[in-house]
Amino acid sequence: MSIEARREAGLDPARSGAGTVSEPGPPKPARRSRAADLFSKVAPPLIVFVAFIAFWYAVSYLFLEETQRFLLPPPHDVFIVSFLDTVNLTEILNALLSTTQVALVGLAIAIVIGVSFAVLMSLGKWVERSLYPYAVILQTVPILAIVPLIGFWFDFNFRSRVIVCVIIALFPIITNTLFGLQSVDQEMHDLFTLHKASRWTRLLKLQLPHALPAIFAGFRISAGLSVIGAIVGDFFFRQGEPGIGRLLDVYRAALQSEQLFAALFFSSLLGLVVFWFFGLIGHLLTRHWHDTAGQEV
Amino acid sequence: MEQRNPPAPDTGVRPSSKPGAAANAPIIEFRHAGKVFDDGTHAVDDVSFQVRPEEIVAIVGPSGCGKSTLLRMASGLSPATSGEVESSHERLGYVFQDATLLPWRNVQRNVELFGELRGAPKEERTRLASEVIDLVGLKGFERHYPKALSGGMKMRVSLARSLTMKPPLFLFDEPFGALDEITRERLNDELLRLFATEDFAAIFITHSVNEAVYLSNRVLVMSPRPGRLIGEFAVPFEFPRSADLRFEPDFARLSGEISHALRADLT
């Protein structure tokens, strides 16, 4: 409460200090409460972040000898070496671009295949029964085991990396879409039956819209997985255009821990951005009607 | 806009009781109809009754007695396994206890749904929809999504949606069962008004004896499962009925008799 009050008090002088003459008179309660609202949302993760950085410094300087400090370089070193050194930054960003391309193409293909398969499965119980076990197997096969095999078969190129992404991203899309299509209330189906709706009409006007929130939940999970697939594929292939996975391996081998941390940071950021992006699209499409559409990230 | 011309035209409110004349061919007829589900559950047993045009038949019974099954049989959603159900019309309005609106469509587009499924042209759909939205008192709410509506308003949308088909027969499956009493009584009155202006017959399932008597020409009483008809009561009160009817001795007497019949088989 005192934090809140202090912040509230701090806000107004800051605003008037900016010299905004156009904003005289009474304070605006709506904006204030919105600021307080924002504060209550931002503050907790911010505190965790500060604590995390403090812990990082503590480990770097208190636990590690100077000779061991390469194991965990302090945050500002990481920042200086990787973000302010344009050579390093360019190298990392180029790799990131390559990885992003692989992940997005893989994700797009997984979405097309996954949604189509789910629709097919929803059309007939026998299709579901014959295909679903293989979707599960696809999910349970360790991706690390299958990556070399894909390299053998399809060569170590862009296409193979995309295939890895598709394999790893497919399952959540299939299961979530299928769940969405199948979870329509019986009464709704009755309604469409009474009006002699065709299978196609039922799918387009009832099942697909109903499934939209679940479908986007699947996209969100798969987007993160596709990024992981792109990095893992890259890490193991060690050929072709280097992505962020290859860089991780190179930095590790050369004990360039500052760059290693930066590469780690950027690859996490990529996963976060695609995850958030699909969350946003899903939210925009269903916010009028879906209860959980308000939840973000 | 509304001008009252001296020679007042027919306002649509019909003067007295519904012409439940026996001469009219029944709009739907159950003949010894029964239903046994695949799992062996005997839901409905040997039910026979008719509904004539513009007649409102209420069916009361303990929960689980197969009332809803009766409606599913009437609509063809779940055909009878013995006897027959003969319906003279294909079009019917089916109103469930749940409003069954599509949450991603606003009121206007929900009401247009059946026209869309039938393949009616856009222009006709829009016109019909605004007509019935007005009829159920939801003018101004066309752009609202179901999420933003109260339970009573959702039921009105559901009702409006069925009204777009101008069905000669309505099937009501405890439509107001989930609503509070005040909302329910208000909707009862509005339903009576619609009965009077819109010329349709109805089978109205409810577990409220008062609601059954208030709305119908005839009340049928069902037994616990397997559901059979164990009583039939004519409701003599004239239309249009007013809310005060509920407090009259005759009304109470008839309701009492029906409640008694309902409990007779519940031992």
Side-chain angles (χ1 to χ4, degrees):
Chain A
M1 185 179 145
S2 64
I3 296 175
E4 203 104 337
R6 237 179 291 151
R7 174 164 169 106
E8 289 287 283
L11 253 178
D12 277 335
R15 225 188 269 156
S16 56
T20 45
V21 196
S22 58
E23 229 186 311
K28 297 181 177 173
R31 188 178 292 187
R32 261 198 186 184
S33 71
R34 196 180 299 166
D37 194 40
L38 190 70
F39 177 72
S40 70
K41 259 185 197 162
V42 170
L46 202 67
I47 291 167
V48 173
F49 180 73
V50 170
F52 173 74
I53 295 290
F55 179 71
W56 186 344
Y57 270 115
V59 174
S60 282
Y61 284 116
L62 301 179
F63 291 109
L64 295 174
E65 304 284 321
E66 201 167 340
T67 50
Q68 288 178 315
R69 198 153 292 153
F70 71 91
L71 289 175
L72 188 69
H76 64 269
D77 277 355
V78 172
F79 187 78
I80 290 166
V81 171
S82 358
F83 290 73
L84 302 185
D85 182 331
T86 42
V87 177
N88 286 335
L89 190 65
T90 316
E91 188 177 49
I92 292 173
L93 287 182
N94 277 335
L96 193 70
L97 183 67
S98 153
T99 303
T100 308
Q101 284 168 344
V102 172
L104 290 187
V105 172
L107 181 65
I109 295 173
I111 284 175
V112 171
I113 297 178
V115 171
S116 315
F117 269 56
V119 167
L120 278 178
M121 287 183 192
S122 78
L123 290 178
K125 211 64 192 163
W126 64 272
V127 185
E128 187 190 341
R129 266 190 225 118
S130 31
L131 290 181
Y132 198 79
Y134 299 101
V136 175
I137 288 173
L138 198 67
Q139 172 72 1
T140 52
V141 164
I143 195 72
L144 292 187
I146 216 168
V147 166
L149 202 59
I150 289 168
F152 277 149
W153 289 343
F154 302 103
D155 207 353
F156 299 92
N157 52 21
F158 184 79
R159 187 179 55 184
S160 301
R161 293 165 195 228
V162 168
I163 291 173
V164 174
C165 291
V166 173
I167 289 176
I168 200 174
L170 202 53
F171 188 72
I173 296 176
I174 294 179
T175 47
N176 278 280
T177 306
L178 189 61
F179 166 78
L181 293 173
Q182 288 179 337
S183 63
V184 177
D185 283 348
Q186 185 56 44
E187 282 189 337
M188 291 292 205
H189 275 302
D190 287 347
L191 210 60
F192 275 67
T193 308
L194 279 172
H195 292 271
K196 303 187 173 54
S198 65
R199 198 67 199 76
W200 183 243
T201 307
R202 195 183 292 262
L203 185 69
L204 282 188
K205 291 193 191 284
L206 179 61
Q207 289 175 288
L208 275 176
H210 174 87
L212 220 51
I215 290 175
F216 271 90
F219 287 177
R220 234 153 62 134
I221 298 168
S222 290
L225 287 176
S226 187
V227 170
I228 292 174
I231 294 171
V232 168
D234 188 58
F235 189 87
F236 276 86
F237 284 2
R238 300 184 189 191
Q239 287 175 46
E241 203 184 336
I244 203 91
R246 229 306 280 283
L247 272 191
L248 285 170
D249 197 35
V250 169
Y251 292 148
R252 179 196 57 80
L255 296 183
Q256 291 173 291
S257 53
E258 288 89 355
Q259 286 93 327
L260 187 62
F261 274 97
L264 190 71
F265 170 80
F266 277 112
S267 45
S268 310
L269 192 66
L270 175 60
L272 202 66
V273 166
V274 285
F275 184 84
W276 172 83
F277 175 75
F278 278 97
L280 182 72
I281 300 280
H283 169 75
L284 290 179
L285 283 175
T286 62
R287 71 196 147 127
H288 290 304
W289 58 275
H290 196 253
D291 290 336
T292 59
Q295 298 172 2
E296 285 167 60
V297 183
Chain B
M1 211 60 196
E2 278 180 38
Q3 292 171 346
R4 304 227 174 262
N5 296 328
D10 190 74
T11 48
V13 180
R14 263 178 280 122
S16 67
S17 74
K18 299 223 151 198
N24 293 339
I27 213 157
I28 191 163
E29 181 168 9
F30 280 65
R31 281 191 291 266
H32 305 289
K35 178 82 191 179
V36 179
F37 286 112
D38 289 340
D39 64 2
T41 312
H42 200 166
V44 173
D45 186 35
D46 193 23
V47 165
S48 300
F49 71 98
Q50 300 180 341
V51 180
R52 286 174 221 97
E54 300 185 33
E55 189 185 25
I56 317 297
V57 175
I59 299 179
V60 292
S63 51
C65 73
K67 291 174 296 199
S68 299
T69 308
L70 213 61
L71 288 195
R72 293 176 64 82
M73 289 159 73
S75 67
L77 275 177
S78 171
T81 50
S82 61
E84 325 171 62
V85 178
E86 195 184 307
S87 177
S88 64
H89 289 81
E90 275 220 338
R91 269 179 307 142
L92 48 83
Y94 203 139
V95 180
F96 298 94
Q97 172 163 1
D98 195 78
T100 58
L101 304 177
L102 301 180
W104 52 89
R105 287 179 172 227
N106 60 26
V107 169
Q108 173 82 21
R109 301 245 304 128
N110 259 297
V111 173
E112 285 182 20
L113 177 70
F114 292 167
E116 226 175 287
L117 294 179
R118 203 178 62 226
K122 174 78 189 151
E123 196 182 316
E124 186 194 327
R125 285 193 332 243
T126 316
R127 186 179 51 76
L128 258 177
S130 47
E131 206 177 294
V132 294
I133 286 173
D134 203 15
L135 208 57
V136 298
L138 281 180
K139 211 180 177 68
F141 289 92
E142 287 89 345
R143 304 270 159 255
H144 284 59
Y145 283 81
K147 195 172 125 183
L149 302 179
S150 68
M153 287 163 96
K154 282 183 203 164
M155 271 334 290
R156 286 166 198 260
V157 179
S158 184
L159 200 58
R161 184 176 61 182
S162 285
L163 282 170
T164 59
M165 296 187 306
K166 309 241 175 258
L169 175 67
F170 256 94
L171 305 175
F172 293 100
D173 192 354
E174 297 191 30
F176 312 137
L179 303 177
D180 63 275
E181 196 169 333
I182 296 168
T183 310
R184 168 194 279 231
E185 286 182 0
R186 236 197 21 238
L187 284 171
N188 281 345
D189 286 329
E190 298 207 12
L191 200 57
L192 276 181
R193 190 173 49 80
L194 287 174
F195 284 152
T197 55
E198 300 298 302
D199 299 342
F200 54 76
I203 303 178
F204 194 100
I205 302 278
T206 175
H207 52 238
S208 156
V209 171
N210 279 345
E211 187 176 55
V213 173
Y214 188 63
L215 290 179
S216 71
N217 302 92
R218 201 144 52 96
V219 177
L220 304 179
V221 180
M222 270 181 100
S223 69
R225 201 156 63 199
R228 284 167 292 115
L229 293 185
I230 52 168
E232 175 171 352
F233 296 82
V235 181
F237 311 116
E238 293 205 333
F239 293 92
R241 294 173 181 173
S242 81
D244 288 338
L245 176 64
R246 295 194 184 91
F247 308 114
E248 295 198 6
D250 286 347
F251 185 92
R253 195 173 307 123
L254 183 57
S255 298
E257 279 174 40
I258 295 172
S259 295
H260 196 73
L262 198 55
R263 275 159 188 74
D265 220 67
L266 275 179
T267 35

